[in-house]
Amino acid sequence: MRESGTILRRRAATEEEPSAMAADRAFDQRIGAMARLLRSQRGWSIQELSSRCGLSTGMISQIERGLSTPSLRSLRVLAAALEVPVGQFFENGERGGAGAAAYVVRRASRRVMNLNNRGVTKAFLMPPGAGLLDMWEFRIAPGGSSGGDLAQHEGEKAGVVLEGRLQLWLDGAPLELEAGDSFRFSGLQPHRVDNPYAMEAAAIWIIVPARDSAGGKAAL
């Protein structure tokens, strides 16, 4: 007897889940290994890093062991404390590429953070090496959100909605954004992004960190 299309689709989805979970675990472990390496290079204990970045020792330990997927905010505060760009957490020790790899990120090579508890997927779009900005593709499932509290930090953010609709909260008020709408705001403005709509939304998100007094890039 032939299996129905529904059963086949369910079986395919079930078979994909372990590989997707394994990829997420491997990603978390790479992030954690880089965080541990950067901390060790500075001769800091977890307690020292905690006092510098404001994350708890337990959270840092979980991130370093690959037991927790860090939020983008957590990576920013870790990067600021370690004085590196956020992108370094995604480089696996690489400090640049050769040929096209130095300038181009192929779709299949994107480094992705799956924040499944928030319904958010963040793909880092920048090639290896330090730069003046960070660029991400955010995909937010229906009901998903970038987080509970309104975030704020130094620097500037900009972007454009590619698909669907989003609510961009600035200073406690929501702005309704549709595909094709673009935006820019200071990171010091309290902000959050929600998707209260029935379809997935996608946006390009650009972060320009603040510069320090010497004119260099502050790692936020």
Side-chain angles (χ1 to χ4, degrees):
M1 185 166 128
R2 297 180 62 186
E3 294 177 292
S4 71
T6 299
I7 293 175
L8 289 173
R9 284 193 296 273
R10 286 176 179 170
R11 176 177 293 177
T14 301
E15 291 172 350
E16 287 174 2
E17 285 175 4
S19 60
M21 292 174 62
D24 288 347
R25 285 197 299 270
F27 180 85
D28 292 344
Q29 289 168 357
R30 288 197 300 272
I31 292 286
M34 179 58 73
R36 185 169 60 252
L37 173 64
L38 292 169
R39 177 178 61 80
S40 298
Q41 287 175 340
R42 287 151 182 77
W44 297 347
S45 66
I46 289 180
Q47 291 77 10
E48 174 69 15
L49 180 56
S50 174
S51 67
R52 289 173 178 266
C53 73
L55 298 179
S56 70
T57 56
M59 174 59 71
I60 295 173
S61 176
Q62 286 205 333
I63 291 172
E64 289 192 355
R65 289 182 292 156
L67 301 179
S68 175
T69 301
S71 67
L72 188 50
R73 176 192 173 278
S74 295
L75 287 182
R76 284 200 200 98
V77 297
L78 283 172
L82 294 163
E83 298 183 341
V84 297
V86 170
Q88 188 157 341
F89 288 106
F90 300 90
E91 293 178 6
N92 296 325
E94 298 176 8
R95 298 305 304 154
Y103 307 103
V104 176
V105 177
R106 305 296 182 188
R107 177 181 289 272
S109 300
R110 290 179 178 179
R111 292 150 287 178
V112 179
M113 298 175 62
N114 292 308
L115 306 182
N116 295 320
N117 60 326
R118 296 183 182 175
V120 178
T121 299
K122 301 178 179 181
F124 190 61
L125 305 181
M126 302 298 289
L132 298 179
L133 56 84
D134 294 325
M135 183 168 61
W136 304 75
E137 181 189 68
F138 282 16
R139 304 196 74 90
I140 306 181
S145 173
S146 63
D149 298 330
L150 296 177
Q152 60 185 120
H153 45 78
E154 294 184 357
E156 191 172 46
K157 294 187 174 181
V160 59
V161 179
L162 302 178
E163 303 170 13
R165 293 188 292 165
L166 287 171
Q167 279 187 345
L168 173 62
W169 289 78
L170 291 175
D171 298 321
L175 299 173
E176 308 292 329
L177 301 177
E178 299 181 347
D181 292 345
S182 55
F183 54 87
R184 183 184 69 179
F185 59 91
S186 167
L188 292 175
Q189 291 178 259
H191 56 275
R192 187 181 73 227
V193 179
D194 296 335
N195 180 10
Y197 307 108
M199 66 177 291
E200 182 184 68
I204 295 296
W205 195 268
I206 298 170
I207 303 170
V208 182
R211 294 174 178 273
D212 59 28
S213 58
K217 176 184 174 183
L220 291 178

